[in-house]
Amino acid sequence: MPQATPYDAIVIGTSQGDRFLPIALAKAGKKVALIERGHIGGVCVNVGCTPTKTMVASARVAYLARRGADYGVHTGPISVDLPAVRTRKQGIVEGARLGYESRLTVAQGLNLDLLRGEAHFLAPKTLEVALQGGETREITAPLIVIDTGDRPEPLAIQGVESVSVLNSTTIMELDTLPEHLLILGGGYIGLEFGQMFRRFGSQVTIIQRRPRLLMREDEDVSDEVTKILREDGITVLTETTPQQVEPQSGGYMQLTVRTPQGEQQLTGSHLLAASGRVPNTEALTPQAAGIQLDQEGYIQVNEQLETNVPGIYALGDVKGGPAFTHVSYDDFRILRTNLLEHGNASTRDRLVPYTIFIDPQLGRVGMTENEAKKQGRKIRVAKLPMTAVPRALETGETRGFMKAIVDAETQQILGCAILSIEGGEIMTIIQVAMMGKLPYTALKEGIFTHPTLAEGLNTLFMTLDS
Ligand SMILES: Cc1cc2nc3c(=O)[nH]c(=O)nc-3n(C[C@H](O)[C@H](O)[C@H](O)COP(=O)(O)OP(=O)(O)OC[C@H]3O[C@@H](n4cnc5c(N)ncnc54)[C@H](O)[C@@H]3O)c2cc1C
């Protein structure tokens, strides 16, 4: 039996959080092994945030081109060249991946070994790596960081093996535009792809099991999002459960769904499964190290991101909870602070914002109205339609609204939902006010440039006192 190669630290996965951690550990003088079985950079760079937002940008140009006449600008017939959209996306993805690879190359001159292959635990501090060349290598370290992420959940309905099912990765590689795209799932991935392909020119139907889209949001927010998507020509079916799918002639498929009105048949050319994700923990065999998982297979960690096995940590999506790149990055900051700077950082009370990149964007941070009410807080709710914001009128982008939840006693902002053009950026202004624990009056009375979208925050918070 060959002896395991000793390292000071092993990091599994090369995601956004791990973009910095192995390099920081190596710079601190530790001998580090970094293991990656797929593309360098993880989901965000290769098949998540970067490619989707690049394609969303193409879709928005198509949308604006069609709306040219609204602005007094006349164009010819609008058509979308999907291979060209994909080539643009690929260029941006490759640029981002190369940037990361080059930083790793520099780090490999330090103390870092990049092992291309799949890792699995043999014992608490020992892993076997099945290298891409066919060899295996055993490695060991007192410090192990798991950042293996998650992947699309395979669709499990009757007949699924008889048709071709797209997921969030494969849909971005299509050469031809779907004639009718059926999307299973009313979360952010389903909505972003739904609006994108509608704007590219497909007929789109979104099928959501639950009573409304974006179930985590307040009813008024998800109702407004649904209204906007329907205005864009997307069919949204709620309380609708897929039952069975079967192939039809001519490359079509028939999806049988159960609706509150009874069974219905939908005919589509393509089917996108966007109903969930599963953690990458099977191949890793964390059980061999005695690492506790939850019922869905996510790794359980404490507020310092340590598993039940001392010295083994998990960050990013694989530990469950909000699955965003900025969370993975913040997890890295916690580990760097605690492991390298002798600090005591934790996930407790951290404010996690997010933006759904439909158009208009939905920027969200803090509590929803429903959550605040459930906690029994005394709240005040400020709401302003975008038709009341001069910048939105001038740019012809008046869909959506701004909404903020304020604590009636402290006057501090508890959360907001900004459904607006550049909603993610406006939400971030409110997030900064929340970080500084400012009362809402600071935004009500602050001087903001006219005419910006941010200026709408004056008016939003004025509604509380008018
Ligand atoms: C379509 C889509 C759009 C998204 N858009 C956004 C967005 O706009 N904003 C946002 O914040 N987030 C977005 N996300 C989520 C974001 O991509 C993830 O939250 C983020 O990538 C999580 O990073 P991570 O640290 O969990 O690791 P990941 O990025 O998941 O990387 C894990 C890495 O580990 C490797 N790995 C797994 N198992 C092993 C093993 N046994 N051995 C070796 N290597 C292994 C994998 O190959 C992978 O490279 C999106 C996701 C998707 C799918």
Side-chain angles (χ1 to χ4, degrees), residues 120-260:
H120 69 102
F121 279 96
L122 296 174
K125 296 296 169 77
T126 310
L127 289 153
E128 184 178 73
V129 185
L131 294 169
Q132 279 171 5
E135 294 162 54
T136 57
R137 189 168 315 165
E138 236 176 85
I139 55 177
T140 181
L143 170 65
I144 297 180
V145 179
I146 303 168
D147 186 14
T148 52
D150 58 11
R151 62 182 191 280
E153 185 176 22
L155 183 62
I157 59 170
Q158 207 182 322
V160 70
E161 60 299 324
S162 63
V163 297
S164 156
V165 180
L166 297 165
N167 62 30
S168 61
T169 301
T170 54
I171 193 169
M172 291 191 280
E173 301 306 323
L174 289 177
D175 277 325
T176 49
L177 202 59
E179 192 183 315
H180 183 186
L181 176 63
L182 303 170
I183 299 181
L184 302 180
Y188 83 90
I189 292 182
L191 267 49
E192 287 182 6
F193 280 119
Q195 193 182 46
M196 178 198 300
F197 275 88
R198 178 69 197 135
R199 289 178 168 190
F200 288 160
S202 299
Q203 186 188 338
V204 173
T205 302
I206 296 177
I207 297 137
Q208 161 79 321
R209 281 174 204 261
R210 310 195 60 193
R212 53 193 175 83
L213 300 178
L214 303 176
M215 276 299 289
R216 275 197 207 124
E217 311 305 334
D218 287 331
E219 286 81 349
D220 56 348
V221 174
S222 53
D223 288 353
E224 190 71 12
V225 167
T226 306
K227 189 182 119 200
I228 287 169
L229 295 178
R230 286 187 173 142
E231 268 170 22
D232 281 4
I234 296 171
T235 303
V236 178
L237 304 175
T238 52
E239 289 186 87
T240 300
T241 311
Q243 303 282 290
Q244 189 187 339
V245 62
E246 50 190 317
Q248 301 273 289
S249 59
Y252 292 91
M253 60 185 84
Q254 191 177 65
L255 181 71
T256 307
V257 294
R258 200 180 58 233
T259 76

Side-chain angles (χ1 to χ4, degrees), residues 12-18 35-50 52-53 115 117-120 147-150 152 168-169 172 188-189 192-193 277 280-281 283-284 315-318 322-329 355 357:
I12 313 162
T14 59
S15 80
Q16 289 298 291
D18 274 351
I35 310 157
E36 175 56 62
R37 71 178 180 189
H39 285 307
I40 299 288
V43 169
C44 179
V45 164
N46 294 292
V47 291
C49 334
T50 306
T52 52
K53 272 76 239 184
L115 307 180
E118 186 170 78
H120 69 102
D147 186 14
T148 52
D150 58 11
S168 61
T169 301
M172 291 191 280
Y188 83 90
I189 292 182
E192 287 182 6
F193 280 119
R277 297 186 63 84
N280 289 326
T281 43
L284 188 67
L315 66 84
D317 293 0
V318 75
F324 298 110
T325 289
H326 42 281
V327 171
S328 179
Y329 181 72
T355 296
F357 289 85

Side-chain angles (χ1 to χ4, degrees), residues 252-274:
Y252 292 91
M253 60 185 84
Q254 191 177 65
L255 181 71
T256 307
V257 294
R258 200 180 58 233
T259 76
Q261 291 75 40
E263 216 168 71
Q264 208 181 311
Q265 323 290 335
L266 305 171
T267 303
S269 59
H270 293 72
L271 181 65
L272 168 67

Side-chain angles (χ1 to χ4, degrees), residues 320-341:
F324 298 110
T325 289
H326 42 281
V327 171
S328 179
Y329 181 72
D330 193 61
D331 289 349
F332 148 70
R333 275 198 290 247
I334 290 173
L335 291 186
R336 181 194 57 196
T337 305
N338 297 349
L339 298 174
L340 293 174
E341 296 164 5

